[in-house]
Amino acid sequence: MTNRTVNPESLSKPSGYAHGILAGNTVYLGGQTALDKGMNIVPGGIVEQFRQAFSNVLTTLTEAGGQPQDLVSVTIYLTDVDDYMANGREIGRIWREMAGSEYPAMAGIGVTRLWQKEALIEIQGIAVIGNR
């Protein structure tokens, strides 16, 4: 089995990592912060950063040939768990808007800092394409 690197052109160019790796029908989605194409963290707090980071994850998944329903596991790293929880309803609405009402296995982990100092959230995942 040959692994295929998945680096969508619409995302920032990776250096020292891949946005995703397709191994068979499994896509390993690298951690995505709220970076825009210009390598800037989007402004607007946790809600807008969630939207951008999750969009980056889904862009990679789509490039690999998958769909949001193919997500089987998602891990969310947060610099402020309380802020995320306070905005949970809005974040949940955005999830449903972008990925539907089915949820994969998930974990939320509080961390002291992410790679970019301005980042409040990082999302990574695993998807199995055709697992519908």
Side-chain angles (χ1 to χ4, degrees):
M1 170 173 48
T2 302
N3 296 340
R4 178 170 66 95
T5 301
V6 182
N7 288 320
E9 288 191 25
S10 62
L11 297 181
S12 60
K13 183 177 174 161
S15 178
Y17 65 97
H19 289 299
I21 299 291
L22 179 61
N25 67 335
T26 302
V27 185
Y28 297 89
L29 299 156
Q32 294 287 335
T33 59
L35 282 177
D36 62 17
K37 177 79 173 161
M39 296 289 289
N40 299 303
I41 296 291
V42 298
I46 190 65
V47 172
E48 287 310 310
Q49 285 200 24
F50 174 84
R51 181 186 302 277
Q52 181 68 46
F54 193 47
S55 175
N56 293 346
V57 168
L58 294 179
T59 295
T60 304
L61 177 57
T62 300
E63 181 82 10
Q67 302 174 23
Q69 303 91 312
D70 296 323
L71 288 166
V72 295
S73 179
V74 170
T75 303
I76 301 173
Y77 300 93
L78 303 157
T79 61
D80 187 338
V81 174
D82 292 334
D83 186 28
Y84 183 89
M85 291 173 62
N87 289 282
R89 286 193 190 275
E90 181 65 10
I91 290 168
R93 186 190 65 72
I94 292 167
W95 177 286
R96 290 185 299 279
E97 172 189 306
M98 297 174 77
S101 59
E102 297 295 318
Y103 295 91
M106 296 180 78
I109 301 169
V111 298
T112 57
R113 190 183 154 211
L114 296 167
W115 191 258
Q116 298 93 11
K117 288 183 181 182
E118 305 84 10
L120 304 173
I121 187 169
E122 184 168 337
I123 304 173
Q124 72 177 47
I126 299 170
V128 179
I129 297 174
N131 195 33
R132 298 180 207 60

